[in-house]
Amino acid sequence: LFDALADQAALAIERVQLVSDVDKAKLAAETDRLRTALLTSISHDLKTPLAAIMGSAGMLKDFGADIPEEARTELLTSIVDESERLNRFISNLLDMTRIGSGAMEPNYAFHFVGDIVGTALSRAAKIAARHRVKVSIPADLPMLKIDPVLFEQVLFNLIDNAAKYAPDETVIDIRGFRDGDAVLLSVMDEGPGIPFNDVERIFDSFYRVRKGDHVRAGTGLGLSICRGFIEAMGGTIRAANRSDRSGAVFTIRMPVPAEMPLLGEKALGED
Ligand code: ADP
């Protein structure tokens, strides 16, 4: 798993077409540096929730009978939450290796983007419960040829980030529209936005803008998975800042498929 991630990093550098021996030596050194950085970051992300689980479980084991009911529930909740975090992180790592190894084979079907937004929102309902979510997607947007599972995961990650980084009670705005031969879907929030220099780097694995973002139960992988999934489906995704107020905008651009399904043939390969 780890080697696959490091190879992915090496491949990215190789793509810049390094040729001479000096460059090859530089590439090897850079790969080593990335390998170490990745290892440190992955270890940290695995150890943090594990330490919390071990701490809470140890308390329950040693003092269970003497701990008041309320505190016991708190410890159990922390074990469940941190296990979920660990589980999410490992799933993210597996998604990353799938993207990196080129083994992604999207399971295409024709879908209305509004339907996928709906499923992603119901999955994210708890996460975004303290935000006001507004959805505006015209009913006449053409269907897209996408993998619904991958697309929903992308939307979920974007909504999760908006809810994580923008203050409670602010608006998360999801808008779809057509732009020539593409459909655009943007997720806008009213949070701090993204510093100009970081707008591209936030799509790198493990990259976080603010030091404090590390403690916000994130994995630093969400956006690189978004980009990997969207590109695997032939689209693009980019980040920007809102011009009307503080906040980030993530925009997915998907091509409108050349052939549309016949009426009634909504989804390929689905029942
Ligand atoms: P994380 O698990 O840290 O959220 P991501 O890959 O999803 O990882 O995001 C990378 C970084 O980009 C975040 O740590 C945060 O610094 C920044 N970021 C992502 N989404 C937003 C947003 N909606 N508003 C502000 N900053 C964001």
Side-chain angles (χ1 to χ4, degrees):
L1 169 72
F2 175 67
D3 278 348
L5 282 168
D7 286 349
Q8 192 186 330
L11 264 178
I13 302 169
E14 224 157 4
R15 260 189 239 122
V16 197
Q17 296 280 326
L18 299 173
V19 277
S20 73
D21 284 349
V22 177
D23 285 340
K24 275 189 193 138
K26 269 194 207 155
L27 173 64
E30 184 60 3
T31 308
D32 268 356
R33 195 188 63 74
L34 282 168
R35 210 179 270 269
T36 313
L38 270 175
L39 191 55
T40 312
S41 180
I42 293 176
S43 310
H44 179 270
D45 282 316
L46 290 173
K47 281 195 88 162
T48 310
L50 204 53
I53 294 169
M54 285 165 68
S56 302
M59 292 264 280
L60 284 167
K61 174 173 170 278
D62 294 339
F63 310 105
D66 307 323
I67 300 176
E69 174 89 31
E70 205 177 311
R72 214 167 38 224
T73 308
E74 239 173 68
L75 289 171
L76 285 169
T77 308
S78 135
I79 293 178
V80 172
D81 289 351
E82 295 299 325
S83 306
E84 278 172 2
R85 180 173 172 181
L86 210 48
N87 191 28
R88 203 165 55 231
F89 183 63
I90 293 165
S91 305
N92 282 351
L93 280 180
L94 292 174
D95 283 340
M96 288 300 299
T97 52
R98 274 209 297 162
I99 295 168
S101 65
M104 290 276 307
E105 280 185 24
N107 216 339
Y108 287 112
F110 286 103
H111 280 277
F112 285 114
V113 110
D115 292 346
I116 313 270
V117 170
T119 5
L121 272 176
S122 48
R123 228 179 102 202
K126 221 168 94 187
I127 291 165
R130 286 194 291 275
H131 290 76
R132 284 180 288 143
V133 182
K134 285 208 268 180
V135 180
S136 139
I137 296 178
D140 61 352
L141 270 191
M143 282 179 154
L144 295 178
K145 197 176 166 191
I146 50 181
D147 181 325
V149 176
L150 302 187
F151 206 84
E152 187 198 313
Q153 184 63 44
V154 171
L155 280 170
F156 177 86
N157 289 357
L158 296 179
I159 297 165
D160 183 32
N161 277 350
K164 214 158 53 177
Y165 298 110
D168 288 355
E169 308 306 329
T170 57
V171 176
I172 299 173
D173 217 334
I174 303 175
R175 292 188 199 171
F177 41 97
R178 182 160 186 166
D179 179 30
D181 54 3
V183 165
L184 304 191
L185 186 67
S186 41
V187 178
M188 273 183 265
D189 63 50
E190 298 181 340
I194 298 143
F196 182 75
N197 287 332
D198 291 312
V199 159
E200 267 308 305
R201 296 172 74 189
I202 53 170
F203 290 97
D204 292 348
S205 308
F206 302 107
Y207 189 79
R208 287 174 171 121
V209 174
R210 294 154 284 258
K211 270 220 150 67
D213 288 348
H214 211 273
V215 295
R216 309 206 61 167
T219 63
L221 292 173
L223 288 177
S224 46
I225 290 171
C226 288
R227 179 162 272 176
F229 281 5
I230 289 294
E231 287 181 353
M233 292 185 284
T236 57
I237 179 168
R238 59 185 206 90
N241 286 302
R242 297 178 67 153
S243 50
D244 56 333
R245 50 166 303 136
S246 154
V249 193
F250 288 85
T251 306
I252 300 168
R253 168 182 281 268
M254 296 300 296
V256 171
E259 323 146 36
M260 280 294 167
L262 296 170
L263 223 59
E265 187 201 355
K266 183 177 171 218
L268 290 173
E270 276 196 350
D271 44 295

